[in-house]
Amino acid sequence: MGCAFSKRVRRSPGPAFITLRLEIICSSRLTVSEVEALYELFKKLSNAIFADGLIQKEEFQLALFRNKNRRNLFADRIFDLFDVKRTGVIDFGEFVRSLGVFHPDAPVADKIAFSFKLYDLRQTGFIEREELKEMVLALLHESDLVLSEDTVETIVDKSFSEADIKGDGKIDPEEWNEFVSKHPSLLKNMTLPCLKDITLAFPSFVVSSEVELEESEFDP
């Protein structure tokens, strides 16, 4: 994931935003200027296709890939996790609070918990082998890395076997925490360095789900 910056004219926020801003500041590590910068970003994304002040999935896809029609399981899962209220759209509060986990200063525990939900496709509270395989295939596709079916199966088998410490055919949050602690590069895309220095000269935010599957992490 990455960011792009350019200049933006500052506009005065309305009463509703001020109230929401105070709530967000009190419950997060963001400053007033950072929240205002994210508001400018949100307005740009939420009006990219539909001028409704909410981020639709097509607009989210456009921000990720600069193509509203490009679909990817990884992007779909991120959208679903940002859409906390399950309304099919992302409002400003959801956007800022969810984006907070990608802040460089966000606790590693929060990043691990978010990544677990990312892989828990069926929301059962566990990661099953097929879910892990689906995410590996999605990440490989996004990185344009082509591997044989046998190689993919080997990667999935080795990773799942290592993570499933209890040997019960599923990975629980505790096991996932242990696995990620041994392979910290799995959290590489869970940090956006640009969130460390947000200013109101932050008009454009382009997220790209560039993924590097390192041989050292998944060596068959």
Side-chain angles (χ1 to χ4, degrees):
M1 292 184 169
C3 312
F5 300 81
S6 62
K7 294 184 179 179
R8 182 79 171 189
V9 177
R10 179 172 181 169
R11 297 177 181 178
S12 300
F17 170 66
I18 293 176
T19 299
L20 179 58
R21 179 185 65 180
L22 291 175
E23 292 176 355
I24 292 173
I25 292 173
C26 290
S27 61
S28 72
R29 61 189 57 80
L30 298 172
T31 65
V32 172
S33 61
E34 288 173 336
V35 172
E36 290 178 348
L38 287 176
Y39 184 59
E40 292 300 311
L41 163 60
F42 177 80
K43 286 195 296 184
K44 179 167 185 173
L45 295 184
S46 63
N47 290 284
I49 301 176
F50 308 101
D52 57 1
L54 297 167
I55 298 178
Q56 308 280 342
K57 181 163 285 190
E58 294 90 341
E59 292 168 323
F60 197 72
Q61 295 287 343
L62 183 62
L64 284 171
F65 306 120
R66 301 194 181 190
N67 183 338
K68 67 178 181 179
N69 297 315
R70 181 174 179 180
R71 303 301 298 275
N72 177 272
L73 177 61
F74 180 77
D76 284 344
R77 287 300 296 144
I78 292 289
F79 183 89
D80 290 343
L81 292 176
F82 272 49
D83 179 20
V84 178
K85 300 174 184 175
R86 300 291 184 268
T87 58
V89 294
I90 301 172
D91 63 29
F92 179 62
E94 292 173 315
F95 177 72
V96 175
R97 293 187 179 96
S98 297
L99 196 60
V101 75
F102 293 92
H103 193 285
D105 293 337
V108 174
D110 290 352
K111 296 178 183 293
I112 293 177
F114 189 94
S115 67
F116 179 85
K117 293 178 182 178
L118 195 64
Y119 281 76
D120 180 16
L121 302 178
R122 295 163 185 75
Q123 302 175 50
T124 61
F126 300 95
I127 299 174
E128 299 179 351
R129 184 188 183 283
E130 190 57 31
E131 293 174 313
L132 179 62
K133 180 179 178 179
E134 287 182 48
M135 284 300 294
V136 168
L137 288 173
L139 294 173
L140 286 172
H141 175 72
E142 194 50 42
S143 64
D144 294 322
L145 181 59
V146 179
L147 299 178
S148 68
E149 179 65 23
D150 288 343
T151 299
V152 171
E153 289 293 338
T154 299
I155 290 173
V156 174
D157 281 341
K158 179 180 178 181
S159 301
F160 193 83
S161 177
E162 181 182 349
D164 182 20
I165 300 174
K166 299 173 183 175
D168 55 4
K170 56 188 178 183
I171 304 170
D172 61 30
E174 182 180 351
E175 291 171 318
W176 181 253
N177 184 79
E178 182 75 16
F179 181 64
V180 173
S181 295
K182 293 179 180 177
H183 303 282
S185 66
L186 290 173
L187 296 180
K188 180 177 180 179
N189 282 347
M190 290 300 301
T191 296
L192 295 173
C194 56
L195 293 179
K196 182 82 171 180
D197 301 300
I198 300 174
T199 66
L200 286 180
F202 191 1
S204 161
F205 181 82
V206 178
V207 182
S208 65
S209 55
E210 298 175 352
V211 178
E212 296 180 5
L213 294 179
E214 304 175 4
E215 290 291 335
S216 59
E217 289 296 333
F218 299 107
D219 183 10

